[in-house]
Amino acid sequence: MATLTLHDLLTLEHQGWDALCSGRGGTFYGALMTDDAVMVIVNGMVLDRETVASTLDHAPPWSEYHLDDPRLVPTGTDAAALVYTATASRTGDPDPFTALMSSHYRLLDGRIRMTLYQQTTITH
């Protein structure tokens, strides 16, 4: 049975980043997100599930990533958010991308589903 523990949600986040590194982000997040879920990304765009599913497989892949300081934030019955700092690099980019990430999940029909994802850039 799926649970909303720090370990389980961090495992899902790593699976998502691994999918983004291998050009399968749209496929992965299209299956993970609820029908009404959105991703709020650092450039100010809000992407619905359909847009994520149809575009992320074609995004330039990340070559490496690190997730630091993960925290679980319970948000209600069968719901929780995972908050962490991500640093990721793409081949050829001079500087890494560093942002605070927040992924909100719910248990629906015994399965963990993403309802909201949000990024906030960290400048150094």
Side-chain angles (χ1 to χ4, degrees):
M1 167 114 187
T3 59
L4 296 173
T5 64
L6 177 63
H7 177 266
D8 289 346
L9 296 186
L10 195 53
T11 296
L12 267 179
E13 291 294 315
H14 278 285
Q15 290 172 353
W17 279 96
D18 291 344
L20 292 168
C21 289
S22 65
R24 300 177 296 105
T27 302
F28 179 83
Y29 287 106
L32 181 64
M33 295 171 73
T34 59
D35 290 344
D36 58 350
V38 295
M39 288 189 170
V40 181
I41 57 178
V42 295
N43 67 3
M45 293 180 67
V46 178
L47 307 175
D48 61 17
R49 179 179 171 265
E50 182 179 324
T51 302
V52 167
S54 66
T55 62
L56 274 188
D57 284 351
H58 308 291
W62 296 103
S63 54
E64 65 178 330
Y65 71 91
H66 302 281
L67 308 183
D68 297 303
D69 303 320
R71 276 188 286 166
L72 180 71
V73 181
T75 60
T77 303
D78 294 333
L82 182 67
V83 178
Y84 61 93
T85 301
T87 303
S89 299
R90 286 188 170 114
T91 301
D93 283 355
D95 297 314
F97 169 72
T98 303
L100 294 174
M101 307 289 182
S102 176
S103 298
H104 187 264
Y105 293 98
R106 289 187 56 205
L107 278 178
L108 295 171
D109 299 322
R111 185 172 161 227
I112 300 174
R113 301 289 305 274
M114 178 181 277
T115 61
L116 176 67
Y117 170 80
Q118 186 268 329
Q119 303 173 337
T120 303
T121 303
I122 299 172
T123 56
H124 295 282

